[in-house]
Amino acid sequence: MSTFNAMIIGSLVGVIGTGLGGAATYFFKNPSARFFSGIMGITAGLMLSIVVFDLLPHAFDIAGLALGTIGILIGAILISFFDMIIENMDIAGGFIKEGVLLGIAIALHNFPEGLAVGSGFMVSQSLGINIALVIALHDFPEGLAMATPFSAGGIPPYKNVIYTVLAGIPTGIGALIGVLTGGISPYFIGLNLGIAGGAMLYVTCGDIIPEARNIYKGEISILGMILGIIGGIIITKHL
């Protein structure tokens, strides 16, 4: 796949996923905690499934266990560093502050996800499609989570769409870098896949799953996660 096509697909994945989440505020003025928890559980299961059963095995096959593992650690440490920066930011404004912080976090998290898309397409079209599909699904609740406090703070839905679309753009940048560095050597592809896998594991295990459980204490997030894992297995076996 060409560099341009991979960048376009990566951009569309992030923009469409988060943008649809922002557009959902036209219909969901105040989504229930149960709804959010279930959607986040499903996306967490999908991401775990794709990372564990598809992305990381390819990383180990291409770059070896040692380099793939180093990539995982680099990805997790990078996202941990960005999370610390976000937590220390001081932005005034209640609901608007919450939306801005979420937007920054989503934009930072979208970069390694784009890296996974670009590197995945360098391995095979099927792996690239698998990762792109799961990330698009994952970005929808992220966009909705970002737009909901904006909506509560008085931001109109059309502006929510614009802001969430902007947060999805780093996915395209990550996809471009994934393709460019992957073209240098197969080992860069494996390392990039490891970095993206580590970042996605950190986001899933450190952010999405705890947040899904905190939003709603019922079992809906766990059931959603199980369904997401099953869905991810089906995707990896049939695409």
Side-chain angles (χ1 to χ4, degrees):
M1 173 170 288
S2 71
T3 300
F4 178 76
N5 288 342
M7 184 180 68
I8 291 299
I9 291 175
S11 298
L12 288 175
V13 164
V15 166
I16 291 174
T18 55
L20 286 175
T25 55
Y26 278 101
F27 309 100
F28 300 106
K29 300 298 183 182
N30 188 22
S32 70
R34 183 186 178 95
F35 173 82
F36 252 136
S37 181
I39 292 294
M40 292 180 74
I42 290 172
T43 57
L46 279 167
M47 288 184 69
L48 282 177
S49 188
I50 294 297
V51 169
V52 172
F53 296 122
D54 207 2
L55 191 154
L56 290 183
H58 278 94
F60 297 142
D61 288 343
I62 296 168
L65 181 62
L67 191 57
T69 302
I70 290 171
I72 294 171
L73 294 174
I74 292 173
I77 291 169
L78 282 174
I79 295 300
S80 174
F81 175 72
F82 287 137
D83 272 356
M84 285 190 293
I85 293 175
I86 293 166
E87 288 175 0
N88 292 327
M89 291 182 69
D90 184 20
I91 301 175
F95 287 119
I96 304 300
K97 173 184 177 180
E98 183 181 346
V100 170
L101 290 176
L102 280 169
I104 294 170
I106 289 166
L108 290 173
H109 292 166
N110 278 346
F111 175 78
E113 291 174 356
L115 188 67
V117 174
S119 300
F121 274 115
M122 292 298 290
V123 177
S124 68
Q125 184 169 324
S126 63
L127 178 60
I129 291 173
N130 287 349
I131 297 171
L133 177 60
V134 169
I135 288 174
L137 292 170
H138 157 66
D139 283 349
F140 172 79
E142 283 195 343
L144 184 58
M146 174 183 170
T148 297
F150 278 150
S151 184
I155 302 296
Y158 79 91
K159 286 189 177 180
N160 285 335
V161 174
I162 295 172
Y163 296 149
T164 51
V165 163
L166 290 175
I169 290 176
T171 313
I173 300 172
L176 174 62
I177 293 176
V179 172
L180 292 177
T181 56
I184 298 173
S185 164
Y187 289 105
F188 274 96
I189 298 176
L191 180 64
N192 285 343
L193 290 175
I195 292 171
M200 291 166 72
L201 284 175
Y202 184 95
V203 172
T204 304
C205 299
D207 293 338
I208 300 176
I209 294 174
E211 186 67 18
R213 294 294 292 156
N214 288 334
I215 288 173
Y216 185 77
K217 299 300 182 181
E219 309 303 323
I220 189 69
S221 63
I222 298 173
L223 295 175
M225 202 180 310
I226 293 171
L227 287 175
I229 290 173
I230 293 171
I233 293 171
I234 293 171
I235 289 171
T236 58
K237 295 301 181 183
H238 293 284
L239 284 181

